[in-house]
Amino acid sequence: MKVIFDRKQLLGAVTPLLGCVSNKNTFAAIAGILVSTDRENGNCILAAYDLEKGMRTVLPCQVEEDGAYVLNANKFVQVIRSMEDDSISVSVDPKTNQTTVVSGAASFVFGAQNGEEFPILPTLEGDRGIKVRKTDFRDIVTKTSFAIAVNDARASLNGAYFHVEDNRFTVVGCDGNRLSRAVVELDVEYTLDTTHFDQEFIIPGKTMSELLSIVEDSEDYMEMQLTYKHVFFKFDNTDFFSRLIDQPYVEYQRFIPKTNKIFAYIDTAALNGAVNRALLVTEDKVSGQSKSPVRLKFTDGTLTVSSASVVSRISDDIPVRKEGEDIEIGFNCRLLLDALKVCDCGELKISLNSPYMSMIIEPAEETPGKEFLMLVLPVRLNG
């Protein structure tokens, strides 16, 4: 195999593939990138697959000799980054499986594996499909993925729950300490002869993170296709795919308090800034001491954000409009801050019932076709 690439284009294509390369020592091929030629169309097909999620992208190039080989992903990317010339040549000797990468006067040699050793990719075509704008999809992923659990014994919580009914998307992330729900109506286009789309599925959290890193914030459309076991995302010259979590999702609606009695309206940036400053205290590392909670004390006209550790303390007053009785409630500061960071509205509505029930955070003003709600579980305060 011998192929000549534009170096910047090649680097831009292989870097996102690293997110689908396995770090486990199951077998060497899934730690690599499959490079296979398509001389007829003047392309190379680059693929990575860790047996849970994968990505395939088509890159224009000059194919001089055909072939398909697996190149160690980290080594390949490091070599490309180190080169300085605009053109880069990648060739593999079929007798020795030695890869030679040449750019300008520099050359690197390292080993490769036969393409047959790479795992077989699933058929990259769904049974039903729908197109949405990239920026809209990124928005709902951003607002929910922070709340997805990591390695929870309840497998379904390790992913984001989707219920897509035509143009109405309901997406939920929940890790037991916080919950985020987005319900939005989007402009959609149907594909694969789809005339009505009504599906519930769970996308793994790692897949959601990768989508945020590779899907650009643009008005262009991306296609989402589904099968019984996989979800496929198609955009530009790229196919990104993942297994779905085959478990029923928790009945998340019962976690959301329905009888709140206390409501507060507060500037989003002011609360975000105060909690950010409190983090400097709650993250103090003192031997033998657990992390301090952040305290939110709601009184008429004022929200006091405070925290104290053995070595430091902070208190910050913010103007607030409040309905209902005074209340003081505590939170894990970082969990609360994660929720506040994804709030892009000017003013927040805070709903409370007691210091022991979850706090609801949502935009103060309703937007037609958009609903975002976040819930954070409090911690018990001492004194």
Side-chain angles (χ1 to χ4, degrees), residues 23 49 68 95 101 200 234 257 312 318 343:
N23 295 319
Y49 182 33
K95 295 180 180 179
V101 181
E200 295 180 66
K234 297 175 179 287
S312 60
I318 306 169
C343 295

Side-chain angles (χ1 to χ4, degrees), residues 92-256:
V92 181
D93 187 329
K95 295 180 180 179
T96 64
N97 279 7
Q98 287 294 300
T99 305
T100 303
V101 181
V102 179
S103 182
S107 65
F108 283 83
V109 178
F110 55 93
Q113 296 174 269
N114 289 324
E116 291 81 3
E117 298 182 33
F118 196 77
I120 298 173
L121 301 178
T123 301
L124 301 180
E125 190 74 25
D127 301 325
R128 48 212 175 275
I130 197 169
K131 284 186 177 180
V132 297
R133 286 192 179 92
K134 293 179 182 178
T135 186
D136 292 335
F137 190 81
R138 279 185 58 88
D139 189 40
I140 56 177
V141 170
T142 299
K143 284 185 167 64
T144 54
S145 59
F146 75 91
I148 297 173
V150 178
N151 297 326
D152 195 285
R154 296 161 292 184
S156 66
L157 294 187
N158 296 318
Y161 165 78
F162 279 71
H163 180 195
V164 182
E165 185 176 6
D166 292 327
N167 71 327
R168 184 178 176 86
F169 282 63
T170 300
V171 185
V172 179
C174 177
D175 65 2
N177 292 307
R178 54 196 172 172
L179 179 148
S180 182
R181 182 186 68 188
V183 183
V184 295
E185 294 179 3
L186 306 178
D187 292 330
V188 302
E189 296 178 5
Y190 298 112
T191 63
L192 300 174
D193 296 326
T194 304
T195 56
H196 175 56
F197 198 100
D198 188 357
Q199 302 292 327
E200 295 180 66
F201 50 96
I202 302 173
I203 299 179
K206 291 180 180 179
T207 299
M208 298 283 278
S209 298
E210 287 302 319
L211 283 169
L212 279 178
S213 69
I214 64 176
V215 176
E216 61 183 3
D217 190 2
S218 79
E219 294 293 325
D220 294 337
Y221 279 81
M222 60 182 287
E223 184 176 4
M224 181 170 66
Q225 298 182 0
L226 281 175
T227 65
Y228 178 69
K229 292 185 177 181
H230 291 90
V231 60
F232 306 98
F233 297 93
K234 297 175 179 287
F235 49 93
D236 306 326
N237 292 318
T238 297
D239 294 310
F240 181 85
F241 59 94
S242 171
R243 285 183 177 271
L244 298 173
I245 296 176
D246 187 19
Q247 295 282 337
Y249 203 67
V250 295
E251 296 180 17
Y252 68 89
Q253 294 94 337
R254 63 187 178 88
F255 299 151
I256 303 174

Side-chain angles (χ1 to χ4, degrees), residues 8-18 33 46 55 57-59:
K8 289 183 179 179
Q9 287 184 351
L10 179 60
L11 183 60
V14 299
T15 301
L17 291 169
L18 291 176
I33 293 174
L46 309 173
M55 183 174 173
T57 188
V58 178
L59 184 65

Side-chain angles (χ1 to χ4, degrees), residues 289-309:
Q289 298 289 324
S290 59
K291 289 184 179 180
S292 306
V294 59
R295 295 171 177 255
L296 306 185
K297 186 175 183 180
F298 294 86
T299 57
D300 288 337
T302 304
L303 165 61
T304 301
V305 179
S306 64
S307 185
S309 70

